[in-house]
Amino acid sequence: MKPPPFDYAAPTTLDEAIGLLAEHAGAEARVLAGGQSLIPMMNFRLAKPGYLVDLRRVAGLAGIRREGDTLVIGAMTRMAEVERSPEVAVAAPLVTEAIGLVAHVPVRNSGTVGGSLAHADPAAELPAVVLALDAKLVAAGPGGTRTIPAGEFFTGPYGTALAPEEILTEVRLPVWPGGHAFTEFSRIHANFAVVAVAALVDADGDRIRRASVALAGVGPTPVRAHSAERALLGTSGDAETIRRAAQLAAADLSPAGDLHASAETRLTLAQVYLRRGLELAVSRARNER
Amino acid sequence: MTAISVTVNGRPHTAQVEPRRLLVDFLREDLGLVGTHIGCEHGVCGTCTVLLDGRSIRSCITLAVQADGAEISTVEGLADGAELHPLQDEFSEKQGLQCGYCTPGMLMRASEILAGNPDPSPAEVREAIASNLCRCTGYQFIVEAVLGAAERMRAEKETAS
């Protein structure tokens, strides 16, 4: 099908874009980033915004830069650009690994990092990544800019802490010094994950001193697996500890079943992929030294 | 209506389009370039694949207004006059199609693959064309056609230099 009619603007400044969102709030104005989720939804008539504010001409929203221990990715940076970036591969290899699993190249050529985060699909890869990394999301609105911790950004399926007239401008990712892993189960390569796991482990000698784990596909938003993180601390990350950590984390989850997988299947997958992700992250953390 | 300027296969066009006009419909209906096919209309099948500034995109989930200022390449731009592009020739030689519905998208995706990697392995070609669906061939002959074209294009480049 074709998208329903809407009015359109492609402003060149952030202030203009925010102004247009506020001005056309009554028409349910929405931001257009790469459009790789929004336009299919409009083709299906699942979304019917009366006004689209296209961000592609707004200066300063795309780009990748390092600020000390933080990697900053502009919201309008195309996924493919992030995937190819040597700077991202060094500072945030978890992002590189996860993006390789986001749809196919033609979608990553258009789709943006900010678009994926603001769309907040509960099975998407990047929301789990920013949650595991404790990233900060920067939003600009009529009252200025504010920083939202990833843990407070996702509020429900396709729901975020962004106000209707706010625009996500960049994501600030702390550089993780240890090992990482992004693993997922999907029925067909490049489909949305049924269950995905983002795992980060940092070791001091043989002892794990920090762990951060997030899952997608097991709830209305991506979730942190705090009990798995705690179970790993101070251990060597041996197979038995990882198995128990995965079990503990799965016990905290209550996924809903849908046409892609039953709740039971998701729980089993969560345990299996938690185990695989943690094993890979631990072994990479060891090789890091 | 919104004014857009695009270059398609080297030719500049300016037009007034409805914002909701999909790029694939702009190409087919407004410019008459019906080589680009419409399949699923939600970004899954890949037959509408064209190149935008050299990168493959799904023209069924891209608005024409988003392409304002861009250079677009479609399947019509592959051949050099009456001479087929090596990819087209190899798809014909190796029977990389049956019904032909997926072919324009396959060709454009393959041209992007070979621009970035002139000597891909069979596994790399399979991974790369996973973005495009074919319901006839089982992909075997498509992979052979892309590999055959890669070989010919490398040989042609060597002769030229």
Side-chain angles (χ1 to χ4, degrees), chain B:
Chain B
M1 302 291 263
T2 303
I4 60 167
S5 304
V6 292
T7 303
V8 183
N9 302 327
R11 275 188 59 185
H13 297 269
T14 55
Q16 293 282 332
V17 295
E18 252 193 296
R20 74 186 195 122
R21 193 67 150 164
L22 296 171
L23 179 59
V24 68
D25 291 320
F26 173 71
L27 293 170
R28 291 176 55 89
E29 307 288 330
D30 299 344
L31 301 188
L33 296 172
V34 294
T36 303
H37 290 170
I38 308 181
C40 67
E41 286 196 320
H42 66 287
V44 171
C45 79
T47 192
C48 69
T49 303
V50 300
L51 304 186
L52 189 141
D53 293 333
R55 302 260 175 216
S56 67
I57 58 146
R58 315 275 212 213
S59 62
C60 76
I61 54 170
T62 304
L63 302 170
V65 288
Q66 287 179 289
D68 182 29
E71 290 210 20
I72 295 163
S73 309
T74 71
V75 69
E76 285 92 344
L78 279 183
D80 184 3
E83 196 182 330
L84 291 180
H85 186 280
L87 272 166
Q88 292 171 307
D89 217 25
E90 286 292 313
F91 267 64
S92 167
E93 281 292 312
K94 304 266 175 20
Q95 298 197 2
L97 67 148
Q98 284 178 34
C99 83
Y101 206 85
C102 71
T103 310
M106 283 287 183
L107 288 169
M108 298 318 289
R109 178 73 184 109
S111 73
E112 181 194 33
I113 298 164
L114 297 186
N117 181 3
D119 191 9
S121 68
E124 284 170 330
V125 173
R126 283 181 183 282
E127 158 92 32
I129 63 164
S131 55
N132 294 50
L133 298 179
C134 169
R135 302 285 77 158
C136 304
T137 63
Y139 303 102
Q140 189 64 35
F141 295 160
I142 294 177
V143 174
E144 287 176 13
V146 175
L147 291 170
E151 202 181 322
R152 276 178 50 179
M153 288 163 71
R154 287 198 307 277
E156 279 172 23
K157 205 170 173 188
E158 216 149 274
T159 318
S161 63

Side-chain angles (χ1 to χ4, degrees), chain A residues 144-244:
Chain A
T145 63
R146 65 181 179 124
T147 300
I148 308 165
E152 295 166 22
F153 186 76
F154 304 102
T155 55
Y158 313 102
T160 69
L162 292 172
E165 67 281 4
E166 271 185 321
I167 294 171
L168 183 62
T169 57
E170 63 184 31
V171 55
R172 305 178 63 84
L173 304 149
V175 174
W176 182 275
H180 71 280
F182 195 95
T183 59
E184 72 174 34
F185 174 80
S186 67
R187 289 192 179 272
I188 301 173
H189 169 71
N191 270 21
F192 273 106
V194 175
V195 170
V197 173
L200 293 161
V201 171
D202 186 17
D204 182 9
D206 270 343
R207 298 290 140 199
I208 292 173
R209 59 178 168 194
R210 261 176 89 204
S212 184
V213 185
L215 295 98
V218 292
T221 65
V223 289
R224 279 282 288 271
H226 291 296
S227 50
E229 295 166 4
R230 281 193 298 270
L232 290 166
L233 288 187
T235 75
S236 63
D238 56 286
E240 181 51 29
T241 304
I242 287 177
R243 201 183 58 78
R244 207 180 58 249

